[in-house]
Amino acid sequence: MRPTIETPSETPAALAVWDFAGLLLTYWCNARCAFCYVNSGPEWRAHVAPETVLAWWRGLDELAAAYGRTMRVHLSGGEPFRDWISLISLIRAARDAGLTPVDKLETNAFWAEDEGLTRARLELLAALGVQRLVVSTDVFHQEYVPIERVRRCVEVARRVFGPGRVIVRWWDFLRDPMVPLPDRPSRAAAYRAALARHKDRLTGRAAETLAPLLPGRPAAAFAGLNCAAETLQSRHVHIDPYGNIFPGTCAGIVLAQADNRRIPTIWQDLATNWPRHPILADLVAGGSYALLQRAKNLGYVERPTGYASKCHLCADVRRFLFRKGHGGEALGPAECYA
Ligand code: SF4
């Protein structure tokens, strides 16, 4: 039976129906990429039970179906191949439960150590209905993952899935890898060149490692740039291992908690009550510049070197609020602000 959900008003300030959802299975990653927007790394251990993930997946399916849509679920992290047995068990259980198939599975290919293992894993994923494989490679990943493994994974995946179902971010870095980077200046130059080729949001670790490599502007330059489109009106969300529901591109901003309520109920609650969400309300009204005003009242001091983008400003202000204990339930988890 379809859940009963009120249709949201069509005003610009309405919460979008989520129909593109990433399940972040872990913050663990073999790598510690300079640009990682969720701050993943080898030190993180959070684990989420498969039954919990399946309940979120089912609820996401129900939400989209209630609006005549089909949910597209992607599995990501961190690195979802950290625990192969758990990953494949989850995908099999979702298939057996009749949930929507995995639209995309994301990996950096660190595990593709030899042809036989790579082919066996990819054939099983394809047999279980995974629609597309996304392989991440760029100067940041290439510092941690040997390019031979990435090439092996992509070549085998194109044979198993078919070329149209394998996405590489980014092909130019696969053709023309940028590592090794012998020293600090060449690393900075390579990072700058990579950012010029493919724009990335300067949040998470990127706010600390990459933003300082770019020209800074005063915070006032970002006044008036609201974030309604990226937050409230985005159809794309992520759910992390703790059940934090983030806007798809803004990890660390907790729209709501996926607790023991069903996802359609959580969505409905947020659709009704988002103006009382302190961080979200600021971002919808005035973007990171509005958030800055809140933080200044709590002691935040603007960086004299300025900010590379509105998202750099946002990430810096949010880190301050989180570390000073002013984020409440709206900012987290600690991994995102480490
Ligand atoms: S400024 Fe913040 S809320 Fe706005 S798009 Fe960037 S990270 Fe997201």
Side-chain angles (χ1 to χ4, degrees):
M1 191 176 73
R2 284 184 176 186
T4 305
I5 300 176
E6 293 168 23
T7 305
S9 72
E10 292 302 318
T11 63
L15 179 67
V17 176
W18 305 328
D19 61 7
F20 184 44
L23 300 174
L24 309 184
L25 301 180
T26 178
Y27 282 103
W28 180 93
C29 189
N30 62 300
R32 195 194 301 279
C33 297
F35 86 140
C36 185
Y37 78 117
V38 289
N39 232 343
S40 287
E43 66 273 37
W44 302 128
R45 292 283 177 267
H47 172 76
V48 58
E51 314 81 68
T52 304
V53 179
L54 292 171
W56 295 338
W57 199 325
R58 188 174 298 110
L60 289 162
D61 281 359
E62 289 174 359
L63 174 64
Y67 285 86
R69 301 183 193 173
T70 301
M71 178 61 64
R72 289 173 299 154
V73 167
H74 56 285
L75 301 181
S76 187
E79 178 45 65
F81 281 73
R82 173 198 183 187
D83 180 346
W84 167 250
I85 299 298
S86 296
L87 176 64
I88 207 70
S89 302
L90 175 69
I91 294 171
R92 184 178 283 117
R95 188 221 32 198
D96 293 348
L99 304 181
T100 50
V102 177
D103 176 43
K104 291 190 293 188
L105 175 59
E106 300 177 350
T107 184
N108 64 27
F110 80 99
W111 50 272
E113 293 173 4
D114 64 60
E115 175 92 10
L117 172 83
T118 306
R119 191 175 58 250
R121 288 187 171 185
L122 295 178
E123 285 176 349
L124 186 49
L125 291 168
L128 289 174
V130 172
Q131 300 294 299
R132 293 184 287 174
L133 189 76
V134 181
V135 182
S136 302
T137 191
D138 47 46
V139 66
F140 310 112
H141 288 89
Q142 286 166 5
E143 289 193 277
Y144 296 92
V145 182
I147 193 67
E148 303 76 41
R149 296 189 188 187
V150 184
R151 289 193 172 123
R152 180 180 299 118
C153 184
V154 171
E155 285 164 15
V156 175
R158 282 165 66 84
R159 289 201 296 274
V160 170
F161 285 89
R165 290 168 58 196
V166 180
I167 299 165
V168 176
R169 292 201 191 104
W170 303 97
W171 285 104
D172 52 337
F173 282 101
L174 184 65
R175 283 190 299 269
D176 182 20
M178 290 183 78
V179 289
L181 303 170
D183 52 30
R184 200 178 168 88
S186 58
R187 176 172 285 113
Y191 286 176
R192 280 198 197 91
L195 291 171
R197 278 155 71 168
H198 301 284
K199 295 271 176 278
D200 271 307
R201 249 169 234 280
L202 299 171
T203 58
R205 192 173 292 124
E208 300 229 354
T209 57
L210 301 183
L213 301 176
L214 303 173
R217 288 184 284 166
F222 308 107
L225 299 178
N226 82 60
C227 298
E230 297 94 333
T231 55
L232 196 68
Q233 293 161 345
S234 171
R235 295 156 58 185
H236 178 192
V237 288
H238 285 149
I239 307 182
D240 83 351
Y242 302 106
N244 295 308
I245 304 177
F246 304 141
T249 54
C250 312
I253 299 171
V254 183
L255 295 174
Q257 190 70 32
D259 45 26
N260 53 11
R261 297 172 297 162
R262 291 162 53 250
I263 294 285
T265 306
I266 294 167
W267 181 90
Q268 182 64 68
D269 185 35
L270 184 63
T272 305
N273 294 313
W274 73 263
R276 284 184 280 285
H277 185 298
I279 302 294
L280 183 57
D282 277 358
L283 292 168
V284 170
S288 51
Y289 192 70
L291 209 55
L292 170 69
Q293 307 316 311
R294 172 186 294 269
K296 278 169 120 174
N297 292 333
L298 294 165
Y300 177 84
V301 178
E302 278 185 48
R303 286 181 181 263
T305 48
Y307 305 88
S309 68
K310 72 169 185 174
C311 297
H312 178 208
L313 172 62
C314 184
D316 204 58
V317 166
R318 286 192 277 119
R319 184 176 291 110
F320 167 85
L321 292 171
F322 180 82
R323 290 182 178 173
K324 294 292 182 186
H326 299 305
E329 295 178 354
L331 297 179
E335 284 89 333
C336 285
Y337 295 100

